[in-house]
Amino acid sequence: MTDIHALDETGIQFVAKAKQIAENVAAPHAADVDRNGRFPNEAVDALLNDGFGGLAIAAEFGGHEQPPSVFAAVVEQLAQACASTAMIYVMHVCAARVVVASGSLARREQLLHQIAAGGHLTTLAFSERGSRSHFWAPLSRLEPDQQSGFRTSAAKSWVTSAHRADSYVSSAQMPGAASPQESTLYLVDRDAAGVNVAGSFDGLGLRGNDSAPVELANVSISEQELLTAQGEGMAMMLGEVLPWFCVGTSAMAHGLCLAAIAGTQTHLCSAGFEHEGTRLRDLPTLRARLAEMHARTEQSRALLQLTLRALASPDEQTPLYVLQTRLSALEAAVDVTDLAMKSCGGAAFSKHLGIERHFRDARAGWVMAPTVDVIKEFVGRALTDLPML
């Protein structure tokens, strides 16, 4: 596939290193990660040890200060090998970006150094059981506490890397909030008193991403652990987290598309009808499906590239492109992997091609907040001059 990201030499080097990790570490374990629903320790450790934890962190903290375009290209490489690894990495980078953007976290500098050095894995913990995929609407509250600053209890749902992450970037309504949109972001360590990972993940796809419920029971949150000013949580979610999340998950979806195309190409060119002396590629219907897969993928990748350019020089239309690129990528992944299953037939329904795994992984993104239906509502409201929320 053509490199569409127009990276500089440093970006190209990071993508090359990501490709090596994807092919040499993530890929050999991907089937086992999927089959057993286990955390991809090998690939995540390799990424952290090779500096990828600090990819989007400033050099003054030991990071590499790379833009969203490099992030997207790295994620695309990882997803072609193991989508669970890619998902874990996307959530880590998104959470790390909140720490970067925070003006209130007391240990910000220390934590950024730890993350950049590969010694700290973080993740997002926004969605709650009661508000489901409406990630911007926490039901939990920060309650003032004379001794600790604040206390909170929450039922956070589907927290990626729940058992493995060292910290969670979380949300709650500010004290005295009139609505869930008056939220505040805070950092809580996984091993803090009152934090409990309340289950395990046994899903259809992304089976190794360790997405599990996290219960916070009267957890102490000091003023120094706040990541935003009171009531400014949603601004951080929409202004910082959402663009990186949409770019990352779009790139992950494209990686699944590319893997499905590669698997289909290989199968059509190698398998055939021995009694006729032909190969599957000789069937026009199968060639047409492959052509459709390729075109659909490149259309969506082109939209992501347009979005990345918009993020580099943002204007009032940029949020619309951010949302639409995620919508396009998720739909492309579902369509392309479905065509791969149809093109490769029984060989795809078995597990030796890997296409069946890509098919399932692609569907996980569909229901991940913001879901496809929610994105369509956001985009529709924007196009009709209505507020997004």
Side-chain angles (χ1 to χ4, degrees):
M1 289 290 175
T2 302
D3 176 20
I4 66 167
H5 297 292
L7 306 180
D8 61 17
E9 186 59 37
T10 300
I12 291 171
Q13 290 175 1
F14 274 108
V15 176
K17 288 199 298 182
K19 184 177 182 179
Q20 289 181 341
I21 292 173
E23 293 179 348
N24 299 332
V25 184
H29 297 283
D32 179 64
V33 166
D34 176 70
R35 181 170 53 252
N36 294 303
R38 71 168 180 85
F39 194 85
N41 288 295
E42 301 87 355
V44 173
D45 288 346
L47 287 167
L48 296 180
N49 292 337
D50 216 359
F52 283 91
L55 184 76
I57 291 175
E60 64 180 294
F61 304 111
H64 302 290
E65 215 162 333
Q66 293 301 297
S69 57
V70 176
F71 170 56
V74 165
V75 172
E76 194 177 78
Q77 291 294 331
L78 297 176
Q80 291 178 67
C82 176
S84 290
T85 297
M87 187 72 253
I88 290 161
Y89 184 65
V90 167
M91 298 299 271
H92 167 81
V93 170
C94 289
R97 288 299 306 177
V98 176
V99 179
V100 169
S102 175
S104 54
L105 182 67
R107 54 171 166 151
R108 172 179 176 269
E109 182 174 343
Q110 175 191 359
L111 185 59
L112 287 175
H113 277 291
Q114 290 176 337
I115 293 172
H120 190 101
L121 182 71
T122 187
T123 194
L124 300 177
F126 289 163
S127 298
E128 295 191 3
R129 187 179 303 151
S131 49
R132 304 181 70 80
S133 62
H134 292 188
F135 66 90
W136 60 89
L139 299 180
S140 58
R141 290 177 175 267
L142 289 176
E143 303 290 353
D145 181 86
Q146 290 185 348
Q147 293 184 334
S148 62
F150 306 95
R151 289 192 174 274
T152 191
S153 295
K156 296 293 179 177
S157 57
W158 309 125
V159 177
T160 295
S161 306
H163 293 85
R164 169 70 190 272
D166 298 295
S167 65
Y168 309 127
V169 170
S170 194
S171 59
Q173 294 181 37
M174 65 177 284
S179 79
Q181 294 182 26
E182 295 181 352
S183 63
T184 300
L185 302 191
Y186 60 90
L187 189 76
V188 61
D189 292 330
R190 175 175 49 82
D191 59 1
V195 176
N196 177 50
V197 181
S200 58
F201 184 60
D202 186 15
L204 176 72
L206 297 182
R207 288 177 47 76
N209 87 128
D210 187 24
S211 185
V214 174
E215 303 283 350
L216 279 64
N218 199 31
V219 173
S220 173
I221 306 294
S222 71
E223 188 84 31
Q224 289 72 33
E225 295 299 288
L226 299 185
L227 288 158
T228 68
Q230 295 286 7
E232 295 184 6
M234 193 170 77
M236 180 75 87
M237 289 182 193
L238 299 183
E240 187 69 31
V241 177
L242 191 61
W244 286 86
F245 178 79
C246 286
V247 165
T249 52
S250 296
M252 184 180 75
H254 294 155
L256 288 168
C257 290
L258 295 174
I261 290 170
T264 302
Q265 286 175 310
T266 298
H267 186 65
L268 297 189
C269 291
S270 60
F273 305 98
E274 293 186 16
H275 64 291
E276 294 179 349
T278 61
R279 297 182 183 179
L280 295 180
R281 69 182 181 188
D282 295 320
L283 295 176
T285 53
L286 299 185
R287 294 199 303 268
R289 283 178 182 161
L290 183 60
E292 185 179 351
M293 292 164 63
H294 188 277
R296 185 71 182 85
T297 300
E298 292 307 299
Q299 288 166 356
S300 188
R301 293 178 83 219
L303 179 57
L304 175 56
Q305 182 56 37
L306 180 63
T307 300
L308 289 168
R309 290 203 299 270
L311 285 170
S313 301
D315 60 25
E316 67 279 359
Q317 291 295 310
T318 300
L320 186 61
Y321 282 112
V322 166
L323 291 169
Q324 288 185 134
T325 197
R326 174 167 158 80
L327 174 60
S328 173
L330 294 178
E331 290 187 328
V334 168
D335 293 344
V336 169
T337 56
D338 182 66
L339 285 167
M341 293 290 288
K342 292 173 180 175
S343 299
C344 298
F349 277 81
S350 67
K351 297 189 176 183
H352 69 278
L353 291 183
I355 290 175
E356 177 264 352
R357 171 164 50 88
H358 305 323
F359 176 87
R360 288 185 287 102
D361 288 342
R363 277 140 185 83
W366 190 273
V367 298
M368 189 181 303
T371 65
V372 167
D373 290 334
V374 168
I375 297 172
K376 287 180 178 178
E377 171 64 0
F378 284 168
V379 171
R381 292 181 69 87
L383 292 174
T384 53
D385 297 323
L386 291 171
M388 191 170 75
L389 296 173

